[in-house]
């Protein structure tokens, strides 16, 4: 699950990002409404968290413009004001939910889960490739009925590869998904994760290997 946070208070943004990453979400952050619009229209996200008071473009205008562009990604607005008209304006603009700052992180997580549950119904909760099963709700991964322990990053990479199974995912796409969009793709960090993942999901299983490297391009999960 990939989430975009548009929040100009950098401390708040990085606090939310860190907390969400610990919950197995991939998170991008930007700090103004203009960049938020560009990212939300160019990249694919499962959820957008938008602050209302933003430089260049406020969160409510941003919501309206995204809906006008037929971007139907669920939106949760963060507002420092608890004035009724802000909430009404936000919901009328097309946002699904809002939270008033300051908020309890647990409540933010619960609201995110609820929003994603609603939008995920069309996407399957369990993704399968051969006897490898990934549950996108519980984050449990099993192969041949054995539980596989993955770190949040490993899980995030595997989920992305499995959602795109049988097609090659480039290293750039993968690092964009797992890291910030400005992540330096020259590093071999992705390869390190892929090796760890391969050891966990393919090594020691009798059924055919699932994770392949396509030299010079990227990686693929093959489901025969
Ligand atoms: Ca703000």
């Amino acid at each position: 699950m990939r989430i975009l946070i548009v929040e100009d208070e950098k401390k708040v943004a990085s606090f939310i990002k860190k907390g969400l990453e610990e919950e197995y979400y991939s998170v991008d952050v930007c700090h103004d409404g203009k960049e938020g619009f560009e990212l939300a229209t160019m990249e694919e996200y499962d959820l957008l968290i938008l602050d209302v008071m933003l430089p260049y473009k406020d969160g409510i205008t941003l919501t309206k413009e995204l809906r006008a562009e037929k971007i139907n990604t669920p939106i949760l607005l963060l507002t420092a004001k608890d004035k009724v008209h802000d909430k009404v304006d936000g919901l009328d603009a097309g946002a699904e939910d809002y939270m008033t700052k300051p908020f309890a992180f647990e409540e933010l997580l619960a609201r995110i889960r609820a929003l994603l549950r609603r939008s995920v119904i069309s996407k399957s909760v369990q993704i399968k490739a051969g006897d490898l099963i990934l549950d996108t709700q519980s984050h449990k991964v099993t192969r041949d009925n054995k539980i596989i322990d993955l770190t949040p990053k490993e899980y995030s990479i595997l989920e992305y590869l499995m959602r795109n199974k049988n097609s090659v995912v480039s290293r750039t796409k993968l690092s964009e998904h797992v890291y910030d969009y400005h992540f330096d793709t020259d590093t071999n960090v992705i390869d390190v994760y892929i090796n760890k993942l391969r050891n966990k999901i393919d090594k020691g299983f009798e059924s055919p290997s699932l994770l392949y490297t396509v030299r010079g391009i990227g990686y693929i999960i093959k489901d025969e």
Side-chain angles (χ1 to χ4, degrees), residues 7-9 51-55 101:
E7 162 66 89
D8 57 326
E9 282 170 71
D51 187 29
V52 170
M53 302 286 277
L54 287 170
K101 293 194 274 186

Side-chain angles (χ1 to χ4, degrees), residues 31-47:
H31 306 293
D32 69 67
K34 233 163 78 184
E35 204 185 350
F37 180 82
E38 277 163 27
L39 278 172
T41 47
M42 276 162 35
E43 305 286 333
E44 272 184 45
Y45 293 101
D46 299 294
L47 177 73

Side-chain angles (χ1 to χ4, degrees), residues 39-153:
L39 278 172
T41 47
M42 276 162 35
E43 305 286 333
E44 272 184 45
Y45 293 101
D46 299 294
L47 177 73
L48 309 174
I49 299 176
L50 313 179
D51 187 29
V52 170
M53 302 286 277
L54 287 170
Y56 305 124
K57 199 173 278 193
D58 68 84
I60 292 171
T61 307
L62 184 52
T63 301
K64 276 185 200 153
E65 291 187 5
L66 289 172
R67 293 307 184 230
E69 289 288 315
K70 303 265 179 285
I71 305 288
N72 295 317
T73 315
I75 292 176
L76 187 149
L77 290 173
L78 297 178
T79 168
K81 307 180 231 172
D82 56 356
K83 288 176 188 145
V84 175
H85 72 86
D86 264 6
K87 297 170 185 173
V88 173
D89 286 353
L91 295 174
D92 280 349
E96 272 69 22
D97 203 358
Y98 62 82
M99 285 202 74
T100 307
K101 293 194 274 186
F103 52 79
F105 198 73
E106 282 305 310
E107 186 181 351
L108 178 68
L109 286 177
R111 283 174 188 267
I112 289 172
R113 283 195 298 270
L115 287 170
L116 290 175
R117 253 198 315 274
R118 272 187 255 161
S119 70
V120 147
I121 293 167
S122 52
K123 305 172 186 176
S124 73
V125 173
Q126 283 200 340
I127 312 172
K128 289 179 191 170
D131 53 357
L132 180 69
I133 300 169
L134 178 145
D135 188 306
T136 58
Q137 293 293 335
S138 65
H139 304 124
K140 206 172 92 178
V141 177
T142 61
R143 181 157 193 193
D144 191 20
N145 296 318
K146 290 186 197 81
I147 292 174
I148 298 174
D149 274 321
L150 297 178
T151 64
K153 286 272 190 237

Side-chain angles (χ1 to χ4, degrees), residues 133-199:
I133 300 169
L134 178 145
D135 188 306
T136 58
Q137 293 293 335
S138 65
H139 304 124
K140 206 172 92 178
V141 177
T142 61
R143 181 157 193 193
D144 191 20
N145 296 318
K146 290 186 197 81
I147 292 174
I148 298 174
D149 274 321
L150 297 178
T151 64
K153 286 272 190 237
E154 290 164 357
Y155 171 88
S156 180
I157 291 171
L158 183 64
E159 182 184 327
Y160 194 66
L161 287 170
M162 286 181 80
R163 281 196 189 279
N164 295 283
K165 71 179 182 180
N166 296 324
S167 45
V168 181
V169 176
S170 71
R171 294 174 80 233
T172 314
K173 263 255 172 250
L174 206 52
S175 47
E176 274 173 8
H177 173 78
V178 177
Y179 297 92
D180 288 350
Y181 56 97
H182 44 65
F183 176 74
D184 179 5
T185 51
D186 288 340
T187 72
N188 64 354
V189 177
I190 288 288
D191 304 273
V192 173
Y193 281 121
I194 290 286
N195 282 333
K196 285 184 181 163
L197 209 45
R198 187 174 276 133
N199 280 332

